[in-house]
Structures are given as structure tokens and as C-alpha cells.
Amino acid sequence: MVRMDTVINGTRFDREVEPNVLLFDFLRDELGLTGTNRSCDVQVCGSCTVLVDGLPVSSCTFLAYEADGSVVETIEGIRDSDFYKRAESAFVSHAAVQCGFCTPGFVMTLKSIVEDGGGADEAQLRRSLSGNLCRCTGYRSILDAAAEIVGEQ
Ligand code: FES
Ligand code: FES
């Protein structure tokens, strides 16, 4: 077992975990944070994206104990924030959500862009969101929502 002393969505968790437990499984199975989704399991789709110290990571390939000493945010942790309300409004008004499976991952990646100062042109947004895949929308609507959320450069 290895130690994991981590702040997750504002609450400190000081636990012993198996060294092979993925952050994704810890969040869902131990903490019941089921807003983070799994699809590819190989760091391609971005549906499992959470923020670790403000940076987006694929929790499907990130070991839980690697978050020791870090601050982790999931979609549940930002639900009451102004950023979340703005993101929700933009995704809805641009019809950038269909099944919604990918949406938490996109929102967390966009939060990291905003926290980094925001502002991005379409090429930058496409690059920043290239690790998030959507099977439903065709991306145009997501890019329009993303531009509204981060602000045009
Ligand atoms: S499930 Fe983690 S990147 Fe696809
Ligand atoms: S809205 Fe269905 S996968 Fe993106």
C-alpha cells in the first residue's frame, strides 16, 4: 500500500491505496464521483479528464497515489462555480451536448484554459481540445461553445 494525501474537490483524503489503483477508479469507486467517464482506457478520448493542480490529466492512466500532495478537481467539484454556470449555458445555447458522455471532460479541459488566463483563437482551441473526443456533435458546436467560454483572443 502507498500513501495518498490529496485534496479532492476541496476535501482532504489521507488514505493508503494499492499502488496500481487508477485515479479514475479511486474517484468513482471510493468516492462515488461518477461524473468522470471512461471510454477508451488508453488516454485518447479525454472523457476521464480531471484537473490535477490545475492541469488536465487522463484519470484512466494516472495512478491514484501519483496525486499525493496534489489538488484534484472533478466536474462535481466545480458544479456550484460561476465557471460551471457559464460553461453549461454555452454548451446548451450552442447545442454542444447530445448524449453528454464527453461533456465533463471537455468542461474540465476548458477550465484549465480559463485558469491559465483564457483567450484562445480557434486554432489554439482545436489544439487544446484535441485530447477530448466526441462521438455525437461533429465538434463545430463544441468549438463555438468553447470560444464563448474561454473568450476569443
Ligand atoms: S478513458 Fe481516459 S482518455 Fe479515454
Ligand atoms: S455529446 Fe455524446 S459523446 Fe459527446
Side-chain angles (χ1 to χ4, degrees), residues 24-25 28 35-49 58-61 99 101-103 131-135:
F24 177 88
D25 292 322
R28 287 185 67 106
T36 304
N37 293 318
R38 164 186 269 155
S39 179
C40 70
D41 252 344
V42 290
Q43 208 172 353
V44 170
C45 75
S47 61
C48 65
T49 302
S58 298
S59 61
C60 70
T61 50
C99 78
F101 190 85
C102 67
T103 311
N132 292 87
L133 304 184
C134 175
R135 297 181 210 179

Side-chain angles (χ1 to χ4, degrees), residues 36-137:
T36 304
N37 293 318
R38 164 186 269 155
S39 179
C40 70
D41 252 344
V42 290
Q43 208 172 353
V44 170
C45 75
S47 61
C48 65
T49 302
V50 299
L51 301 188
V52 177
D53 295 330
L55 297 175
V57 304
S58 298
S59 61
C60 70
T61 50
F62 194 94
L63 293 167
Y65 83 85
E66 291 182 293
D68 179 47
S70 293
V71 172
V72 174
E73 283 181 294
T74 73
I75 193 75
E76 290 91 346
I78 67 169
R79 208 166 32 202
D80 295 327
S81 68
D82 289 343
F83 170 81
Y84 183 92
K85 289 179 192 126
R86 200 164 78 246
E88 182 179 46
S89 166
F91 269 74
V92 169
S93 66
H94 290 281
V97 179
Q98 287 185 31
C99 78
F101 190 85
C102 67
T103 311
F106 273 100
V107 170
M108 296 313 288
T109 300
L110 288 165
K111 183 165 190 286
S112 74
I113 297 170
V114 168
E115 283 183 356
D116 199 33
D121 61 23
E122 181 158 325
Q124 290 168 322
L125 269 181
R126 283 181 180 273
R127 210 167 32 247
S128 298
L129 294 173
S130 62
N132 292 87
L133 304 184
C134 175
R135 297 181 210 179
C136 302
T137 66

